[in-house]
Amino acid sequence: MGIQEFACVALVLCDNGHIKEPKRNGTIVITIPFNKPPLVGTELGYVREAVEVNRHISGDGDFTKRCNGWIEEHFGAQKALLTTSGTTALEMAAILCEIQPGDEVILPSYTFTTTATSFSNIGAKLVFVDVRPDTMNIDETLIEAAITDKTKVIVPVHYAGVACEMDTIMDIARRHNLLVVEDAAQGVMSTYKGRALGTIGDFGCYSFHETKNYSMGEGGALVINNEAFNDRAEIIREKGTNRSRFFRGQVDKYTWVDVGSSYLPSEMNAAYLWAQLEEADRINENRLAIWRAYYEALRPFEEAGRVVLPTIPAECKHNAHMFYLKCRDLADRTAFINHMKEHGCGCVFHYVPLHSSPAGQRFGRMDGKDRYTTPESERLVRLPLFFGMTDGERQTVIDAAIAYFTA
Ligand SMILES: *Cc1c(COP(=O)(O)O)cnc(C)c1O
């Protein structure tokens, strides 16, 4: 969680009644939090089934297999493996890329910390590239200039569930013999030219954290698009052993054979996710309806030059992971967030650029200019958007935003 998500947790606590006397001492009550974890209603029944019927609560039981199978089938993924987080899916991908100390990894500076730590933790040098202002995704036209003879991996991050320009990125990667790890943490159910995000690069990483569209509390999945990596992925995920092959009867005992760690989520978490995947279309449509209502309501202000709204390129279908807008500058954004708070709406900013952060400077460097990353990140703000938001809540957010931009 970034600083802004911590802020949002505090707001949720207020919403849960931890502040008993509204407005006392100037405390403002947030009635519409930035996020609520998705809940479709069948989650606890499936958790109970895992606990009481299946009597299997560790990893890789029936619910994990169902979730893996669902991802493979719905997204046309060669192989999907649930993990304990989006971060550990990225860490598994970094190990599978065989990162050696000094290898370079190209990624945007405008992303979550673990896009970076997954690679820098095992010795990679990070090479940050600027974003495009229209999608806040890595600017694909700047990638080639950042490649050196040390470059090994490109990590496109599909910000807000809107795809990076994957044809160009895959073409660059193939010509330079580089691997591609899609950070599709926010991109579950989104597509690029009809292909599911996460299934286009060599690896795709999903997050099922409670702030994401589909959740299991903490969790994620690694998608493997080249079957040559399947066996090693199973070993790394099973603490460096060939345990999966042992259970399939392919070897007669299981042995420590490679690097690894514990990346399997418990069945209780997988059972929660299964409930959400079964309702994935309903969740997606609900989120998209909220997104479109925000977009339509704020369009006049974009036309008047007062705000900038997200761009969805024609080849991308997005999943309404977030609705953001861009204010004029940092001061305008701060005033907007305060105004929304006064109207009970929890609006939050997002990533602080990595390249200029203390750890970013230690583990990496920016290639080329920071033309958009810092200035655009300073004026971006996200509106409340979660599954099950009521029409009234949505209208309250819209009315408050309109009041601010009209003033
Ligand atoms: C959420 C997120 C992650 C990390 O996922 P966790 O499940 O929280 O570990 C990584 N990258 C991006 C872009 C994310 O949004």
Side-chain angles (χ1 to χ4, degrees):
M1 293 205 301
I3 294 163
Q4 56 287 356
E5 272 95 356
F6 277 117
C8 127
V9 168
L11 304 178
V12 174
L13 287 176
C14 299
D15 183 47
N16 287 349
H18 287 222
I19 291 174
K20 289 191 181 114
E21 290 174 75
K23 303 241 170 192
R24 210 181 119 214
N25 295 334
T27 305
I28 290 159
V29 176
I30 297 293
T31 50
I32 306 171
F34 171 67
N35 180 57
K36 283 186 188 173
L39 186 66
V40 295
T42 44
E43 290 88 347
L44 292 180
Y46 286 138
V47 172
R48 178 177 277 274
E49 190 178 323
V51 174
E52 291 185 347
V53 181
N54 299 349
R55 301 304 301 271
H56 185 135
I57 58 174
S58 65
D60 273 351
D62 184 50
F63 283 107
T64 302
K65 284 178 187 143
R66 280 198 233 175
C67 292
N68 291 342
W70 190 96
I71 293 169
E72 288 163 6
E73 195 179 310
H74 281 75
F75 300 153
Q78 187 268 143
K79 189 163 191 67
L81 295 169
L82 285 196
T83 57
T84 48
S85 66
T87 298
T88 51
L90 284 160
E91 289 177 359
M92 279 187 67
I95 295 169
L96 288 163
C97 290
E98 298 190 45
I99 293 291
Q100 305 298 321
D103 286 347
E104 292 183 357
V105 172
I106 295 174
L107 73 168
S109 166
Y110 186 69
T111 185
F112 191 60
T113 52
T114 62
T115 316
T117 58
S118 303
F119 292 90
S120 60
N121 284 353
I122 55 172
K125 169 117 180 139
L126 307 170
V127 177
F128 299 109
V129 168
D130 207 8
V131 289
R132 302 163 36 148
D134 59 346
T135 56
M136 298 303 281
N137 283 334
I138 191 167
D139 185 337
E140 70 280 358
T141 66
L142 303 176
I143 292 175
E144 206 146 15
I147 294 173
T148 72
D149 56 7
K150 295 241 171 74
T151 308
K152 198 160 208 174
V153 184
I154 304 171
V155 191
V157 179
H158 305 298
Y159 187 68
V162 179
C164 297
E165 187 34 59
M166 289 307 292
D167 276 355
T168 306
I169 293 171
M170 293 310 294
D171 175 61
I172 293 169
R174 294 304 172 237
R175 280 191 286 105
H176 293 269
N177 202 17
L178 307 174
L179 291 162
V180 173
V181 176
E182 296 177 71
D183 182 339
Q186 303 175 11
V188 179
M189 292 285 280
S190 294
T191 61
Y192 170 80
K193 298 191 178 173
R195 297 170 70 188
L197 301 193
T199 68
I200 303 166
D202 297 281
F203 302 100
C205 302
Y206 296 146
S207 169
F208 300 118
H209 185 261
E210 79 162 39
T211 52
K212 301 305 200 285
N213 293 24
Y214 310 92
S215 186
M216 55 196 282
E218 299 278 357
L222 175 68
V223 172
I224 303 164
N225 299 315
N226 176 346
E227 65 181 345
F229 292 103
N230 287 1
D231 286 350
R232 188 152 192 251
E234 282 186 344
I235 290 168
I236 289 164
R237 185 163 166 273
E238 277 283 14
K239 302 96 182 168
T241 72
N242 56 2
R243 194 165 185 265
S244 308
R245 297 190 68 196
F246 170 72
F247 277 115
R248 286 197 297 263
Q250 293 167 334
V251 289
D252 57 11
K253 58 177 183 288
Y254 77 83
T255 307
W256 180 24
V257 291
D258 201 345
V259 299
S261 188
S262 180
Y263 293 116
L264 282 70
S266 88
E267 277 287 288
M268 280 101 78
N269 296 65
Y272 191 103
L273 180 64
W274 175 249
Q276 311 244 312
L277 294 181
E278 275 193 324
E279 299 283 349
D281 287 328
R282 187 157 70 94
I283 293 174
N284 197 38
E285 278 152 28
N286 181 258
R287 295 187 71 106
L288 281 165
I290 300 162
W291 194 100
R292 286 192 205 107
Y294 284 157
Y295 190 84
E296 289 310 319
L298 295 171
R299 230 169 45 171
F301 299 97
E302 177 165 59
E303 279 157 14
R306 178 64 183 87
V307 294
V308 174
L309 300 182
T311 299
I312 312 294
E315 58 274 17
C316 303
K317 263 200 188 149
H318 74 114
N319 60 359
H321 172 63
M322 75 173 79
F323 189 92
Y324 67 81
L325 56 88
K326 289 178 187 163
C327 296
R328 285 188 179 125
D329 52 27
L330 183 55
D332 186 33
R333 181 179 75 177
T334 304
F336 176 77
I337 290 174
N338 288 336
H339 167 91
M340 295 303 282
K341 202 189 274 179
E342 279 158 19
H343 288 77
C345 306
C347 294
V348 289
F349 56 85
H350 210 186
Y351 302 130
V352 177
L354 297 183
H355 74 279
S356 49
S357 67
Q361 287 179 318
R362 187 167 148 208
F363 296 112
R365 65 175 168 88
M366 182 91 182
D367 189 86
K369 287 203 193 75
D370 171 10
R371 194 167 159 206
Y372 296 113
T373 299
T374 300
E376 296 294 305
S377 69
E378 285 181 346
R379 63 198 194 106
L380 184 148
V381 57
R382 299 174 289 163
L383 304 187
L385 202 172
F386 48 86
F387 172 70
M389 193 173 189
T390 67
D391 290 355
E393 288 172 326
R394 183 174 82 192
Q395 199 56 45
T396 300
V397 176
I398 289 173
D399 291 345
I402 288 177
Y404 179 81
F405 292 120
T406 309

